[in-house]
Amino acid sequence: MRPQILVVDDEPGVRKALDRGLRAEGMDVTVAADGPSALELARTGSYDAILLDIMLPGLSGYRVLQELRSDGVATPVLLVSAKDGEVDQADGLDLGADGYVVKPFSFVVLLAQLRATLRRAATGSARDRIRLGPLTIDRETRTARYDGVDVPLSPREYALLEALAVRAGTVLTKEELLHEVWGDEWAATRNVVEVYVGYLRRKLSAAGAGDLVRTVRGRGYQLGEPR
């Protein structure tokens, strides 16, 4: 599975450069431009690592990190900042950061730090569970619960839910879901995605979460926060 990386920076040029560079290195990238958006995405626990700028609109990177650790989200975080003081770095590490990168940075060095962070986390359990509000997905047992109630899913329904949850908030096309859930099965068509989305919605609806899987007209499907 390709590493899932969340890049958070309020500078469009930095977001674009990191998105392009990390994808070229075989990683899947989600970007956010402000603190509240970053916190909402990161709380799902579906990322392998987060590159988190400190100076952000809405909530600072320090505050986002603090909230994540308070919520029990253990996703590795590399703080990125133009501040290069020892106190700034110590503050970030004390809050639970796994590393600190000073701007302007070398992409080669940042990539090396990110890969080292991913290797250290590979034996951990940071991604064993994905949380999206009351929804909890246990990736080890391949089960889902909503507000403490088990959601009985078939293996294919679970795989579809997990594929959407790993990139919560991102619109996935039918083609992407076909590749993620059905792989190279010759009999799978785009229509089967619609059928299984319907199955999944009925199961979630029975548990009180019928609005989680949303259709984005003309584009695909996304998993969002409960309304």
Side-chain angles (χ1 to χ4, degrees):
M1 182 179 293
R2 292 160 64 95
Q4 303 289 322
I5 309 299
L6 176 60
V7 172
V8 187
D9 200 292
D10 64 340
E11 297 180 38
V14 173
R15 291 197 305 274
K16 184 176 180 180
L18 288 175
D19 185 21
R20 184 173 60 246
L22 295 176
R23 287 183 185 279
E25 295 295 329
M27 303 180 189
D28 284 335
V29 181
T30 302
V31 298
D34 58 72
S37 298
L39 184 58
E40 181 180 353
L41 289 166
R43 271 181 168 152
T44 67
S46 60
Y47 297 96
D48 291 290
I50 302 170
L51 295 178
L52 180 62
D53 192 18
I54 291 177
M55 303 299 290
L56 293 170
L59 288 174
S60 72
Y62 285 143
R63 182 65 184 277
V64 171
L65 176 59
Q66 188 175 35
E67 292 286 336
L68 289 177
R69 296 306 186 237
S70 295
D71 290 346
V73 178
T75 306
V77 173
L78 290 180
L79 288 174
V80 182
S81 176
K83 297 182 176 182
D84 60 357
E86 291 181 355
V87 173
D88 298 306
Q89 297 185 41
D91 285 345
L93 295 172
D94 285 344
L95 287 172
D98 298 82
Y100 194 104
V101 181
V102 177
K103 290 182 177 179
F105 52 79
S106 159
F107 179 75
V108 173
V109 173
L110 179 141
L111 181 62
Q113 289 202 37
L114 179 57
R115 283 177 167 160
T117 300
L118 291 170
R119 284 195 298 272
R120 288 195 299 270
T123 57
S125 58
R127 298 182 69 213
D128 284 352
R129 290 191 177 186
I130 300 173
R131 294 181 300 173
L132 190 72
L135 177 69
T136 301
I137 298 171
D138 190 319
R139 304 179 78 181
E140 184 175 359
T141 61
R142 297 180 67 80
T143 57
R145 293 171 65 85
Y146 186 82
D147 208 14
V149 177
D150 289 333
V151 182
L153 299 174
S154 70
R156 194 77 76 180
E157 290 163 355
Y158 170 84
L160 178 60
L161 177 62
E162 183 185 51
L164 289 164
V166 164
R167 296 168 67 183
T170 300
V171 179
L172 296 179
T173 67
K174 291 178 182 179
E175 288 77 11
E176 287 173 323
L177 289 170
L178 270 175
H179 177 72
E180 296 254 353
V181 179
W182 281 268
D184 296 325
E185 293 182 23
W186 65 269
T189 66
R190 294 170 78 247
N191 184 59
V192 79
V193 177
E194 295 180 26
V195 172
Y196 271 85
V197 165
Y199 293 160
L200 179 58
R201 279 179 171 149
R202 284 195 285 276
K203 297 282 185 72
L204 290 171
S205 182
D211 61 345
L212 281 181
V213 180
R214 299 164 193 167
T215 300
V216 180
R217 218 172 265 282
R219 296 176 61 194
Y221 302 98
Q222 72 176 159
L223 197 70
E225 289 278 4
R227 289 170 179 163

